[in-house]
Amino acid sequence: MNHSISPERFNEVVRAYGGYVYTIAFNLLGNPADAEDAAQETFIKAYKRLHTFDEQRGLKNWLCTIALNTARDFYRRSNRGAAAATLEGEGAAVPEGGEFSSRIGARLDAVKMLSILDINYRSVMVLYYMEQCSVREIAAMMKKSENVVKVWLFRARKILMEKFGDSVV
Amino acid sequence: MKCRHVQSFFDRMCREGDRFDRPDIVAHVKQCGRCGRDYEKWCGIARKLEGVPALDAPPALYGRVMRAIEAQHAGAGAWLRWKPLPYCAVFAALMLIAATYLFIGMPWIAYRQSPVISSTSGAAPAEVMAHFEIYLAGARRVALVGDFNGWDLDKHLLTKSDADTWKIDLPIKKGCYQYLFLIDGTQWKTDPCRALQVPDGFGGINTVIEL
C-alpha cells in the first residue's frame, strides 16, 4: 500500500481541498450547480481510489487530475448547447449575495472567455493559466505528450486573441 | 526571425518582463507591428485569466460529499461480506438443498424453516416527541441533521427562543439515531445536552439519541 490517507481522515481532505476542486470544476463547466456536482463526484472517486494515491505525486496534483477528468465527463454528458447558451446569456446561475457570489462573478468573466474553446483547449488553458500547472504536469494529467499540450495551448491562445484581443488591449 | 517563431515566446515575455533573456525576440516584437500588437493582446488576455481570485467551496459541499461517501461505504461493506464466498460453492450448496427437498423429501427441512418465515412479521415502531435544544450566541441559522431525516441539511430548522437558545420538538419513531447541529450552514456541532457520542467513521463525532 502506497497511500498515506486513511479513509477515516478523508473528511480533512474534503475540507482542505473542497475549494480547489470546486474551482477547477467551475472553470471548466462555468456553472455553479454543475461544478458542485462535479466536485462531489470527484471526492467520491478519490475516496474509492485511495489505494491508487501515490504520495510522491502529491495530493493536490492527484485531486486535480480526478477533478479534471470528472469535469470533462460532465461536460460531455451535459447538453453543450445549453451550457454555452447559459454562459453567453445575461448571466449564469450564480447564487446571490455574499463574497462567494462576487468571487464567482469575477471568475465568470474569465470562464465566459474560455467557453468558446473546445474542451481540450479549455482544459489546458485552465490548468496552465488559472491553476499554474507546468506543461509537463498537464501532459501527465491528460495522458498526452508535452508537444500536444504545447500545440493545444498555442491554438487556444490564437483563438482567444482573434476573438477577444481587441477588447482587452 | 520569423513571426511564427516569435509568438510562442509571448507567454514568457508576459510573465518574465524585463528578465526575459531573448534579445532577438524582444527586438522583433518592437520592430514588427503585427507581432507587437499580438503581444499586447496576449498580455491582456493572460492577465484576465491569471488574476482571478480562487473560489471557496459551497457550504453544502462537505455535507453532500460525506453523506455520499458514507452511503458508498455501507454499500461496499455489504458487498465485501459476500465477495469471499466462492460462487460455485454457493451454487452447489443450493442445488444440494433443492435436490434433497425435492427428491428425498426429508420433512425436517420444512419443519426447521417454518419458524424463520413466521418471525418476519412485526408492528411499525411508535413515534415519540423528542426535544432538541442548544445555546448558541450569534448564530443565524441552526439545522438539526441526523439519521431520522436522512441527513437533510434543510429539513429541520430550529427556532430561536429567548437569549440565543434554539429549540425544536420532533415526532420521531422509536429507535437509536445519530445526529448533529449544523450552524449557519458551515459548522457542525455535537449536542452538549446529550452525553452519548460515537465516532462517525470519518474522524468526527456524532451525538446519539435513544428513544
Side-chain angles (χ1 to χ4, degrees):
Chain A
M1 296 284 273
N2 57 0
H3 62 92
S4 60
I5 309 164
S6 64
E8 290 74 22
R9 293 191 62 196
F10 193 73
N11 62 339
E12 294 169 24
V13 175
V14 180
R15 282 200 197 280
Y17 290 95
Y20 176 68
V21 167
Y22 176 74
T23 303
I24 292 172
F26 183 78
N27 288 338
L28 284 165
L29 300 170
N31 178 312
D34 286 348
E36 193 171 337
D37 288 345
Q40 179 185 343
E41 199 168 314
T42 297
F43 282 115
I44 293 167
K45 281 183 184 173
Y47 183 79
K48 282 182 184 170
R49 297 177 194 169
L50 270 181
H51 61 283
T52 67
F53 169 59
D54 182 2
E55 206 174 343
Q56 302 290 325
R57 210 173 138 202
L59 182 58
K60 195 173 176 181
N61 224 328
W62 181 66
L63 284 173
C64 182
T65 306
I66 300 174
L68 173 75
N69 291 325
T70 306
R72 283 160 63 89
D73 287 346
F74 259 74
Y75 176 84
R76 291 192 191 103
R77 264 185 271 159
S78 67
N79 183 339
R80 297 174 196 199
T86 311
L87 281 170
E88 286 169 10
E90 284 300 309
V94 178
E96 287 179 13
E99 193 188 354
F100 181 67
S101 65
S102 70
R103 283 191 188 182
I104 281 195
R107 188 162 281 263
L108 203 54
D109 289 339
V111 173
K112 268 183 193 172
M113 201 159 70
L114 295 178
S115 69
I116 65 161
L117 298 174
D118 160 74
I119 188 67
N120 286 329
Y121 294 170
R122 197 190 300 184
S123 302
V124 292
M125 293 296 279
V126 164
L127 293 174
Y128 191 78
Y129 290 102
M130 298 167 110
E131 302 306 326
Q132 310 287 319
C133 296
S134 67
V135 169
R136 178 177 289 186
E137 287 170 331
I138 298 169
M141 284 179 203
M142 298 185 73
K143 293 181 178 157
K144 301 285 177 194
S145 72
E146 289 185 35
N147 279 339
V148 167
V149 173
K150 283 179 187 169
V151 168
W152 284 355
L153 280 170
F154 180 78
R155 289 181 186 161
R157 281 181 206 130
K158 205 168 175 185
I159 293 168
L160 292 180
M161 269 169 46
E162 282 169 8
K163 179 92 178 174
F164 300 105
D166 294 328
S167 62
V168 293
V169 173
Chain B
M1 175 71 52
K2 290 183 179 173
C3 294
R4 67 188 170 90
H5 293 143
V6 172
Q7 300 216 348
S8 57
F9 288 95
F10 283 173
D11 253 342
R12 278 188 59 197
M13 292 174 72
C14 285
R15 288 183 178 190
E16 296 174 27
D18 294 339
R19 290 175 289 114
F20 184 71
D21 57 1
R22 287 286 301 264
D24 54 337
I25 303 282
V26 176
H28 178 89
V29 169
K30 280 183 180 166
Q31 77 179 53
C32 172
R34 187 185 148 210
C35 287
R37 276 194 304 278
D38 282 354
Y39 170 67
E40 291 301 326
K41 285 178 187 177
W42 178 246
C43 285
I45 290 171
R47 273 195 298 272
K48 202 158 185 178
L49 292 177
E50 289 174 330
V52 186
L55 297 175
D56 293 328
L61 178 66
Y62 177 80
R64 283 181 60 183
V65 170
M66 297 319 291
R67 279 198 309 279
I69 286 176
E70 203 172 341
Q72 297 269 340
H73 203 63
W79 181 76
L80 283 171
R81 280 195 296 277
W82 283 100
K83 192 183 173 187
L85 290 174
Y87 295 118
C88 55
V90 174
F91 181 72
L94 288 172
M95 291 300 290
L96 187 65
I97 292 168
T100 307
Y101 185 72
L102 287 173
F103 299 110
I104 302 173
M106 290 177 73
W108 60 270
I109 294 177
Y111 172 75
R112 284 175 67 111
Q113 281 179 344
S114 57
V116 178
I117 293 164
S118 63
S119 68
T120 53
S121 63
E127 283 187 341
V128 291
M129 192 61 75
H131 178 75
F132 299 86
E133 183 175 326
I134 186 166
Y135 179 84
L136 287 164
R140 294 186 303 276
R141 184 179 190 272
V142 181
L144 179 66
V145 187
D147 292 332
F148 40 78
N149 61 14
W151 293 89
D152 190 316
L153 305 183
D154 303 307
K155 195 168 182 181
H156 294 128
L157 298 177
L158 280 73
T159 50
K160 190 177 178 182
S161 62
D162 57 321
D164 292 322
T165 304
W166 297 76
K167 292 177 181 174
I168 190 170
D169 289 299
L170 277 184
I172 301 174
K173 285 179 183 171
K174 279 186 177 177
C176 190
Y177 303 95
Q178 295 184 29
Y179 69 98
L180 288 171
F181 293 111
L182 179 60
I183 319 300
D184 297 331
T186 55
Q187 189 192 347
W188 294 93
K189 197 166 174 56
T190 51
D191 189 345
C193 300
R194 291 195 170 92
L196 190 53
Q197 298 186 340
V198 292
D200 64 0
F202 301 104
I205 299 288
N206 289 345
T207 306
V208 176
I209 183 171
E210 193 165 2
L211 299 168

